[in-house]
Amino acid sequence: MKKRIMSKLPLLATFLAVLLLVPASAAAAAAATAIDGSKIQRLDLPDGLVGPESVAFDAHGAGPYVGVSNGLVLKYDDGNGGWTTFAYSPSYTKNKCDEFSDISSVARESLCGRPLGLRFHVNSGDLYIADAYMGLMRVGPNGGEATVLATEAGGMPLRFTNGVDIDQVTGDVYFTDSSTTYTRAQHDRVTRTRDSTGRVMKYDPRTSQVTVLQSGLMYPNGIAISADRTHLIVALTGPCKLMKYWIRGPKANTSELFADLSGYPDNVRPDGKGGYWVAFNREKYESPRSFERHLLGVRIDANGEKLQEMKGYKNVRPAEVVERDDGKIYIGSIELSYVGIINA
């Protein structure tokens, strides 16, 4: 009997060692505070428009600016009566898109454009636009017709231009092409087929050259440059992961896993504190019961650890979560007819 007890001591020691680790991880989970995302104020879009996916503010704090379903980029100005047209693609003008009335949304997008990612370059005031169909575009601080900067990279066309961010020091623009096989209208196939033809690219405004940094990715979506400008964080929608791509330092031009996520990420935005807000279109394992709330997004720190969760109703499926200095959180969505605002 004594011999049997002694033989189990190594197993007991291992078990106790595992138990000692539990409080630390439990404490880390408890540190992830919750934000009630069900109390949303609305900035309603003009009638008939939906899909303010990305939410941007210019260097003066004006905005929000959003891209919407008819191909326009709109600017909100409370003192000027609400939403006004700020920018549009050359194709919008060429195809007389402002005259369209009876046309499918898919046909309209391919003709007029579908602005997704929006980011301002602070010094110049230029707005960079990742348009799903028109490629990477730029418009000056006064708006108007945008200039198309890139429609291909590495000898292959941009078929699903999606996220964008800017190195505010160098002016380099980083953006994603979610698939070289499918367009935005076929976005469900990108996930369903596990398409791995997505890319991360850099546009150099000094030379107008586009460089493919990494290819063979599964649904690269949102993108954000780190506070120290050493790496990019890229949301991989299908795998429910965040990837870190190094652009400077000893690991330059390599990538690694940054975080596993419990939802399908869309855009990722710096939170102004060294971390990031990640918007979830839906949770990975979501209850089918429509009355339940779900995760709208999470805030993570510079090490990929979860700091905050935002939960709200299932009819809100965010594409982007943006936190401002005043504590207000703005929510963009590809489906909603408004920009949501939460006082955190």
Side-chain angles (χ1 to χ4, degrees), residues 231 233 242 244 257-261 274-276 278 298-307:
H231 59 273
I233 299 298
L242 296 180
K244 177 187 287 187
L257 176 67
F258 181 64
D260 279 307
L261 302 170
Y276 308 90
V278 186
V298 295
R299 186 165 74 88
I300 59 177
D301 66 16
N303 297 313
E305 297 296 327
K306 184 168 62 176
L307 298 175

Coordinates of all heavy atoms in Angstrom, one line a residue, residues 231 233 242 244 257-261 274-276 278 298-307:
H231 N 6.0 47.2 -36.0 CA 5.3 46.1 -36.6 C 3.9 46.5 -36.9 O 3.4 47.5 -36.5 CB 5.4 44.9 -35.6 CG 4.8 45.1 -34.3 ND1 5.5 45.7 -33.2 CD2 3.5 45.0 -33.8 CE1 4.7 45.8 -32.2 NE2 3.5 45.4 -32.5
I233 N -0.2 45.0 -37.0 CA -1.1 43.9 -36.5 C -2.1 43.8 -37.6 O -2.8 44.7 -38.0 CB -1.7 44.4 -35.1 CG1 -0.7 44.5 -34.1 CG2 -2.8 43.3 -34.7 CD1 0.1 43.3 -33.7
L242 N -5.0 37.3 -34.8 CA -4.3 38.5 -35.2 C -2.8 38.1 -35.4 O -2.2 37.3 -34.7 CB -4.3 39.5 -34.0 CG -5.6 40.1 -33.6 CD1 -5.4 41.1 -32.5 CD2 -6.3 40.8 -34.8
K244 N 1.2 39.4 -36.2 CA 2.2 40.5 -36.1 C 3.2 40.3 -37.2 O 3.8 39.3 -37.4 CB 2.9 40.4 -34.8 CG 4.0 41.4 -34.6 CD 4.8 41.2 -33.3 CE 3.9 41.6 -32.1 NZ 4.8 41.5 -30.8
L257 N 2.3 34.8 -34.8 CA 1.0 34.9 -34.2 C 1.0 35.9 -33.1 O 1.9 35.9 -32.3 CB 0.5 33.5 -33.6 CG -0.8 33.5 -32.8 CD1 -2.0 33.8 -33.8 CD2 -0.9 32.2 -32.1
F258 N 0.0 36.8 -33.1 CA -0.1 37.8 -32.0 C -1.2 37.4 -31.0 O -1.0 37.6 -29.8 CB -0.4 39.2 -32.6 CG -0.5 40.3 -31.6 CD1 0.6 40.7 -30.9 CD2 -1.6 41.0 -31.4 CE1 0.6 41.7 -29.9 CE2 -1.7 42.0 -30.5 CZ -0.6 42.4 -29.7
A259 N -2.3 37.0 -31.5 CA -3.4 36.6 -30.5 C -4.4 35.7 -31.2 O -4.7 35.9 -32.4 CB -4.1 37.9 -30.0
D260 N -4.9 34.7 -30.4 CA -6.0 33.9 -30.8 C -7.3 34.7 -30.3 O -7.3 35.2 -29.2 CB -6.0 32.5 -30.2 CG -5.1 31.6 -31.0 OD1 -5.3 31.5 -32.2 OD2 -4.2 31.0 -30.4
L261 N -8.3 34.7 -31.1 CA -9.5 35.4 -30.8 C -10.7 34.5 -30.7 O -10.8 33.5 -31.3 CB -9.8 36.5 -31.8 CG -8.6 37.5 -32.1 CD1 -8.9 38.4 -33.3 CD2 -8.4 38.4 -30.8
G274 N -1.3 52.1 -26.6 CA -0.3 51.0 -26.9 C -1.0 49.7 -27.3 O -0.3 48.8 -27.8
G275 N -2.3 49.6 -27.1 CA -3.0 48.4 -27.5 C -3.9 48.6 -28.6 O -3.8 49.6 -29.4
Y276 N -5.0 47.8 -28.8 CA -5.8 47.8 -29.9 C -7.3 47.4 -29.6 O -7.5 46.6 -28.7 CB -5.3 46.8 -31.0 CG -3.9 46.9 -31.3 CD1 -2.9 46.2 -30.6 CD2 -3.4 47.8 -32.3 CE1 -1.5 46.4 -30.9 CE2 -2.1 47.9 -32.6 CZ -1.2 47.2 -31.9 OH 0.2 47.4 -32.2
V278 N -10.4 45.5 -31.3 CA -10.7 44.6 -32.4 C -12.2 44.4 -32.5 O -12.8 44.0 -31.5 CB -10.0 43.2 -32.2 CG1 -10.2 42.3 -33.4 CG2 -8.5 43.4 -31.9
V298 N -13.2 43.4 -28.6 CA -12.3 43.3 -27.4 C -11.2 44.4 -27.6 O -10.8 44.7 -28.7 CB -11.7 41.9 -27.2 CG1 -12.8 40.9 -27.0 CG2 -10.9 41.5 -28.5
R299 N -10.7 44.8 -26.4 CA -9.5 45.6 -26.4 C -8.4 44.8 -25.8 O -8.5 44.2 -24.8 CB -9.7 46.9 -25.5 CG -8.5 47.9 -25.6 CD -8.9 49.2 -25.1 NE -9.0 49.3 -23.6 CZ -8.0 49.5 -22.8 NH1 -6.7 49.7 -23.3 NH2 -8.2 49.5 -21.5
I300 N -7.3 44.8 -26.5 CA -6.1 44.0 -26.1 C -4.9 44.9 -25.9 O -4.9 46.0 -26.5 CB -5.8 42.9 -27.1 CG1 -5.5 43.5 -28.5 CG2 -6.9 41.9 -27.2 CD1 -5.1 42.4 -29.5
D301 N -4.0 44.4 -25.1 CA -2.8 45.3 -24.9 C -1.7 45.0 -25.9 O -1.9 44.2 -26.9 CB -2.3 45.1 -23.4 CG -1.7 43.7 -23.2 OD1 -1.5 42.9 -24.1 OD2 -1.6 43.4 -22.0
A302 N -0.5 45.6 -25.7 CA 0.6 45.4 -26.7 C 1.1 44.0 -26.7 O 1.9 43.7 -27.7 CB 1.7 46.4 -26.3
N303 N 0.8 43.2 -25.8 CA 1.2 41.8 -25.7 C 0.2 40.8 -26.2 O 0.4 39.6 -26.1 CB 1.7 41.4 -24.3 CG 2.9 42.3 -23.9 OD1 3.8 42.5 -24.6 ND2 2.8 42.8 -22.6
G304 N -1.0 41.3 -26.6 CA -2.0 40.5 -27.1 C -2.9 40.0 -26.0 O -3.8 39.1 -26.3
E305 N -2.8 40.5 -24.8 CA -3.7 40.1 -23.7 C -5.0 40.9 -23.7 O -4.9 42.1 -23.9 CB -3.0 40.2 -22.4 CG -1.7 39.3 -22.2 CD -2.0 37.8 -22.3 OE1 -3.1 37.5 -21.8 OE2 -1.2 37.1 -22.8
K306 N -6.1 40.2 -23.4 CA -7.4 40.9 -23.4 C -7.5 41.8 -22.2 O -7.3 41.3 -21.1 CB -8.5 39.9 -23.5 CG -9.9 40.5 -23.6 CD -10.9 39.4 -23.9 CE -11.0 38.3 -22.9 NZ -12.1 37.4 -23.2
L307 N -7.9 43.0 -22.4 CA -8.2 44.0 -21.3 C -9.6 44.3 -21.1 O -10.1 44.5 -20.0 CB -7.4 45.3 -21.6 CG -5.9 45.2 -21.8 CD1 -5.4 46.6 -22.2 CD2 -5.3 44.8 -20.5

